Amino acid sequence: MEKEKNPQSQKTTLIIIAVITILFLIGITIGVVYLANSDAQITGQVRDIFIIILVMESFLIGAALIILIIQLALLSNLLQNEIRPILSSTKETIRTMKGTSQFISERAVMPIVTIGGLLAGGRKLFEIIGFIRKDNTKE
């Protein structure tokens, strides 16, 4: 298994990410100031490059959305054609087990309990009448 990072390593990683973010923001600020002081031709070229980058990003987001829709369709298909039959089979098995347990309870357990109760009652009756001696060695 993968080793978990210790707190010192996590702290170092967080500091590196913070420094990179600050440097990135400083670079953007310097670029904006440079573009504000430059002529219109350079600013137009940079604007055109950013428009091209945004169009490419839009294509990537569109492709990601198409993939997401396909994955949702596959998940829906999985739920309808595989999970639902498993659930219905499980429900049927539970019903069968319930019926089996009721049958065993009615046909096997109840008669045994009834006979055991009658035997215990008969034994107690014979103890009261005096045919059987009460066993006092258990105490």
Side-chain angles (χ1 to χ4, degrees):
M1 286 194 175
E2 239 179 82
K3 292 183 180 179
E4 292 185 23
K5 292 184 177 182
N6 59 11
Q8 183 64 28
S9 176
Q10 290 177 349
K11 190 175 182 180
T12 305
T13 305
L14 187 62
I15 290 172
I16 290 172
I17 291 173
V19 167
I20 290 172
T21 304
I22 290 172
L23 289 175
F24 183 71
L25 290 174
I26 290 172
I28 289 177
T29 305
I30 291 172
V32 169
V33 170
Y34 173 74
L35 284 176
N37 292 332
S38 65
D39 59 348
Q41 183 180 4
I42 294 175
T43 305
Q45 289 174 346
V46 172
R47 180 198 65 219
D48 293 342
I49 290 171
F50 276 113
I51 289 173
I52 291 170
I53 290 171
L54 288 175
V55 167
M56 293 172 124
E57 185 179 342
S58 296
F59 283 138
L60 286 175
I61 291 172
L65 285 174
I66 289 171
I67 291 171
L68 177 67
I69 290 171
I70 291 171
Q71 290 295 323
L72 284 173
L74 291 174
L75 176 64
S76 174
N77 184 30
L78 175 78
L79 289 173
Q80 287 181 353
N81 295 328
E82 293 185 27
I83 304 293
R84 198 171 279 166
I86 290 172
L87 287 176
S88 66
S89 173
T90 304
K91 285 180 183 177
E92 183 179 332
T93 303
I94 289 171
R95 275 189 244 117
T96 303
M97 289 298 295
K98 185 177 178 182
T100 303
S101 66
Q102 286 177 346
F103 176 80
I104 295 292
S105 174
E106 291 171 3
R107 302 291 183 196
V109 175
M110 282 183 69
I112 291 172
V113 169
T114 304
I115 291 171
L118 289 174
L119 289 175
R123 180 183 171 114
K124 192 66 172 176
L125 177 68
F126 287 137
E127 283 179 7
I128 293 172
I129 294 175
F131 291 138
I132 299 177
R133 276 196 165 167
K134 192 172 184 180
D135 191 13
N136 292 331
T137 58
K138 291 184 181 178
E139 295 176 10

